């Protein structure tokens, strides 16, 4: 049962912005707190190239595993530092609760490094960031809960209508009576997640009765870039 006395702070996870946090009570999305994930993405891409080269040259497998462990630990240290920033931000509010999407993936660094079609976000970065946020939040005594993820990156935080979110573009609300226009999609999603913590908050989108699953708009599940190769 969600407690109306709690301050729900939505946390959207992505690649461009690793964490984006926004309380439900914030008047709009502009005060959302973001932590850039560019450096982590670059380090992961570099690691993938290095491991590919090592495997191609038939380096000792145990040596590769040891090297990966060191690099993984360094990546997790950066994620932990970002998670602590989010918890410090949340600690400024009374009775905070962090609200995220359900995580349907387990972090698998080896899959990202060795499978050509693996998605960098869903293979390792985002599941790892979700798990580390829970661990760090526990150290702060802050609860982390989840809400349904459907359309969280496409629902307008102001009116609840499904808007237009093209690849790497700002979120545009399609409701002509809504003042929202040109919102950062990660910040919009963070506020939507926070709102969904409270009873009665849900997506206003209703697909046509004749629509089939295949005809509905594709979901953007990672809160960052659309999953082109998931």
């Amino acid at each position: 049962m969600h407690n109306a006395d709690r301050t729900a702070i939505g946390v959207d996870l992505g690649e461009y912005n690793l964490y984006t946090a926004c309380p439900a009570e914030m008047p709009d999305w502009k005060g959302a707190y973001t932590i850039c994930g560019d450096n982590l993405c670059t380090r992961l891409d570099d690691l993938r190239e290095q491991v590919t080269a090592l495997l191609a040259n038939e380096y000792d497998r145990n040596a590769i595993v040891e090297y990966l462990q060191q690099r993984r630990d360094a990546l997790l240290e950066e994620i932990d530092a970002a998670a602590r920033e989010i918890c410090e931000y949340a600690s400024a509010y009374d009775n905070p609760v962090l609200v995220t999407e359900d995580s349907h993936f387990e972090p698998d660094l080896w899959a990202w490094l060795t499978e050509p079609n693996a998605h960098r976000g869903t293979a390792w970065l985002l599941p790892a960031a979700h798990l580390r946020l829970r661990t760090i939040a526990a150290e702060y005594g802050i609860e982390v809960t989840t809400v349904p993820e459907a359309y969280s990156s496409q629902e307008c935080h102001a009116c609840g209508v499904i808007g237009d979110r093209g690849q790497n573009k700002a979120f545009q609300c399609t409701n002509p009576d809504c003042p929202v226009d040109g919102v950062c999609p990660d910040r919009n999603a963070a506020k939507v997640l926070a709102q969904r913590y409270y009873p009665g908050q849900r997506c206003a989108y209703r697909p046509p009765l004749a629509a089939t699953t295949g005809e509905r708009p594709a979901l953007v599940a990672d809160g960052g870039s659309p999953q082109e190769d998931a």
Side-chain angles (χ1 to χ4, degrees):
M1 178 68 68
H2 290 169
N3 190 335
D5 295 331
R6 305 291 297 276
T7 301
I9 300 174
V11 182
D12 182 69
L13 277 67
E15 294 176 83
Y16 176 73
N17 289 316
L18 180 64
Y19 294 122
T20 302
C22 186
E25 65 187 30
M26 190 167 287
D28 58 32
W29 55 272
K30 296 178 182 177
Y33 190 82
T34 61
I35 299 178
C36 183
D38 281 355
N39 184 58
L40 278 165
C41 289
T42 298
R43 291 171 67 181
L44 279 169
D45 289 342
D46 290 344
L47 181 57
R48 181 166 171 161
E49 291 182 4
Q50 293 164 5
V51 169
T52 299
L54 290 173
L55 291 173
N57 286 284
E58 298 183 349
Y59 272 74
D60 178 72
R61 181 59 65 94
N62 290 333
I64 295 176
V65 170
E66 183 178 354
Y67 172 70
L68 281 180
Q69 185 63 45
Q70 295 173 352
R71 295 295 301 273
R72 176 183 176 275
D73 290 346
L75 290 167
L76 288 177
E77 285 180 5
E78 185 170 346
I79 294 174
D80 283 359
R84 287 192 175 89
E85 280 192 52
I86 293 299
C87 290
E88 290 289 344
Y89 170 83
S91 296
Y93 293 88
D94 293 332
N95 299 319
V97 53
L98 301 181
V99 185
T100 71
E101 298 175 348
D102 291 317
S103 178
H104 302 301
F105 303 95
E106 293 292 332
D108 189 341
L109 185 57
W110 187 252
W112 156 244
L113 296 172
T114 59
E115 295 179 12
N117 295 323
H119 186 277
R120 179 179 56 203
T122 55
W124 188 79
L125 181 57
L126 301 181
H130 188 266
L131 291 174
R132 296 313 301 166
L133 179 63
R134 286 183 169 276
T135 299
I136 300 301
E139 296 177 6
Y140 280 78
I142 299 175
E143 179 188 355
V144 180
T145 191
T146 60
V147 294
E149 68 177 344
Y151 301 103
S152 61
S153 294
Q154 298 163 279
E155 175 186 346
C156 177
H157 71 268
C159 69
V161 169
I162 290 296
D164 179 19
R165 186 197 164 184
Q167 183 176 352
N168 299 323
K169 293 180 180 179
F171 169 86
Q172 300 282 343
C173 183
T174 55
N175 178 1
D177 298 321
C178 181
V180 171
D181 182 47
V183 178
C184 167
D186 297 338
R187 297 186 181 194
N188 178 77
K191 187 164 175 62
V192 167
L193 292 172
Q195 291 170 334
R196 290 183 181 183
Y197 174 80
Y198 300 108
Q201 295 289 337
R202 61 179 181 176
C203 175
Y205 172 74
R206 296 293 180 271
L209 293 177
T212 64
T213 301
E215 294 170 340
R216 297 177 188 176
L219 298 185
V220 179
D222 66 4
S225 301
Q227 296 182 40
E228 297 175 338
D229 56 356

